């Protein structure tokens, strides 16, 4: 609770299916909707996640929806919702088809991704969460939900929903969200910023956490680029200021990468 920044990304990457902790989840290594917020799950939250049907949040005012009826809305999009927060990753499989040892009454799996050997052995399972600065090599000071979009094949055999999603549909949803984001902020208690991104299937770097490229024969490169970047940012800020809503510091933006 208390997140101030929300980032939404349509991730078109397709990840390797080799190093998986859950081999039957291989079909969910493709296109996904990522939702980031800058709040971290508390121990009480994690305990409640493990008791979805008997949540401790029933007795805590203001915490009724995170994994109650509200969370069920993610199943419009996916068969296997998952999220990372702190040092843990959780997967939900209500149909008990893709994760080992689960059932409808206890449909989830949780791991500590900083446990020795986890990242090395199951790198591909964790790779989809390497976004928005997350490396999976240190505790995540935020929460990232990942919703692998339901494919046509998954929809045909799903007991949850029979609707799959195309690129065009997801693009339309993001466009609608971008148009409504400014108004949405008026009704959100803590959120001050909503950012919307698209990440292409292929790019120039393996991930956006790649080290910057500095030419060996240009020792002043970093200083020069930082200076020009600062000037560009100042110019953009100056130009954008007149169009900002003076009554509210809240904002939203759209971008092509995340």
């Amino acid at each position: 609770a208390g997140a101030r920044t929300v980032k939404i990304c349509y991730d078109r990457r397709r990840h390797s299916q080799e190093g998986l902790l859950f081999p039957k989840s291989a079909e969910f290594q493709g296109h996904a909707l990522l939702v980031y917020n800058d709040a971290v799950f508390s121990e009480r939250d994690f305990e409640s996640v493990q008791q979805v049907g008997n949540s401790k949040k029933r007795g805590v005012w203001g915490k009724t929806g995170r994994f109650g009826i509200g969370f069920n809305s993610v199943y419009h999009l996916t068969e296997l919702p998952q999220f990372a927060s702190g040092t843990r990753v959780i997967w939900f499989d209500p149909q008990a088809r893709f994760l080992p040892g689960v059932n409808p009454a206890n449909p989830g799996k949780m791991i500590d991704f900083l446990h020795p050997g986890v990242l090395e052995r199951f790198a591909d399972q964790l790779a989809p969460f390497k976004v928005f600065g997350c490396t999976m090599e240190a505790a995540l000071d935020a929460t990232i939900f990942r919703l692998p979009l339901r494919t046509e094949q998954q929809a045909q055999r799903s007991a949850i929903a029979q609707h799959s999603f195309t690129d065009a549909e997801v693009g339309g949803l993001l466009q609608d969200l971008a148009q409504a984001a400014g108004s949405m902020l008026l009704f959100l208690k803590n959120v001050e910023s909503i950012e919307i991104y698209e990440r292409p299937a292929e790019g120039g770097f393996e991930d956006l956490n790649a080290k910057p490229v500095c030419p060996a024969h240009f020792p002043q490169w970093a200083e020069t680029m930082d200076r020009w970047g600062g000037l560009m940012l100042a110019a953009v800020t100056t130009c954008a200021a007149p169009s900002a809503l003076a009554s509210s510091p809240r904002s939203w933006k759209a971008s092509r990468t995340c």
Side-chain angles (χ1 to χ4, degrees):
R4 295 185 178 276
T5 299
V6 173
K7 302 178 183 181
I8 301 170
C9 177
Y10 177 27
D11 186 1
R12 291 188 172 91
R13 293 176 298 171
R14 294 192 180 278
H15 304 276
S16 172
Q17 302 177 354
E18 298 298 323
L20 297 182
L21 175 60
F22 310 121
K24 289 185 178 181
S25 70
E27 63 187 271
F28 299 99
Q29 291 290 96
H31 294 186
L33 194 67
L34 307 176
V35 182
Y36 163 103
N37 71 68
D38 60 353
V40 183
F41 264 50
S42 67
E43 285 302 318
R44 187 184 186 95
D45 289 329
F46 281 115
E47 291 174 7
S48 295
V49 168
Q50 298 176 71
Q51 304 177 48
V52 175
N54 184 28
S55 177
K56 293 183 179 181
K57 291 180 181 175
R58 292 179 180 176
V60 181
W61 184 87
K63 293 228 178 181
T64 57
R66 193 185 302 198
F67 278 95
I69 296 174
F71 183 75
N72 287 337
S73 62
V74 303
Y75 293 108
H76 288 295
L77 302 174
T78 187
E79 303 282 288
L80 192 71
Q82 48 207 253
F83 73 91
S85 189
T87 66
R88 297 173 226 186
V89 182
I90 290 181
W91 293 261
F92 287 102
D93 179 14
Q95 299 176 91
R97 294 174 51 195
F98 309 107
L99 303 179
V102 301
N103 58 67
N106 184 21
K109 287 287 186 182
M110 179 170 68
I111 67 167
D112 184 335
F113 60 80
L114 291 186
H115 188 80
V118 170
L119 182 59
E120 291 77 12
R121 294 180 59 193
F122 308 114
D124 294 335
Q125 191 85 62
L126 302 175
F129 291 99
K130 291 185 176 182
V131 69
F132 296 126
C134 175
T135 65
M136 304 306 285
E137 297 176 359
L140 177 61
D141 192 24
T143 299
I144 300 175
F145 288 89
R146 181 173 184 269
L147 310 177
L149 295 171
R150 184 178 294 108
T151 66
E152 184 176 354
Q153 293 76 17
Q154 291 167 0
Q156 291 174 356
R157 60 179 189 270
S158 176
I160 298 175
Q162 284 69 53
H163 182 73
S164 58
F165 290 87
T166 64
D167 270 359
E169 284 181 293
V170 178
L173 288 172
L174 289 183
Q175 186 175 10
D176 291 344
L177 182 58
Q179 293 174 349
S183 299
M184 291 169 57
L185 288 171
L186 298 174
F187 303 97
L188 298 174
K189 181 178 180 181
N190 297 306
V191 177
E192 298 177 351
S193 173
I194 298 176
E195 303 174 9
I196 301 172
Y197 302 83
E198 292 183 37
R199 180 152 186 175
E202 297 180 1
F205 297 99
E206 290 186 6
D207 59 60
L208 295 183
N209 301 309
K211 294 181 179 180
V213 178
C214 298
H217 301 293
F218 190 172
Q220 299 84 16
W221 174 267
E223 180 182 351
T224 301
M225 291 299 102
D226 285 346
R227 179 165 54 85
W228 276 104
L231 293 172
M232 290 178 64
L233 180 58
V236 171
T237 302
T238 300
C239 294
S243 62
L245 291 176
S247 61
S248 173
R250 298 181 173 191
S251 63
W252 69 271
K253 68 178 182 179
S255 177
R256 296 294 297 176
T257 59
C258 58

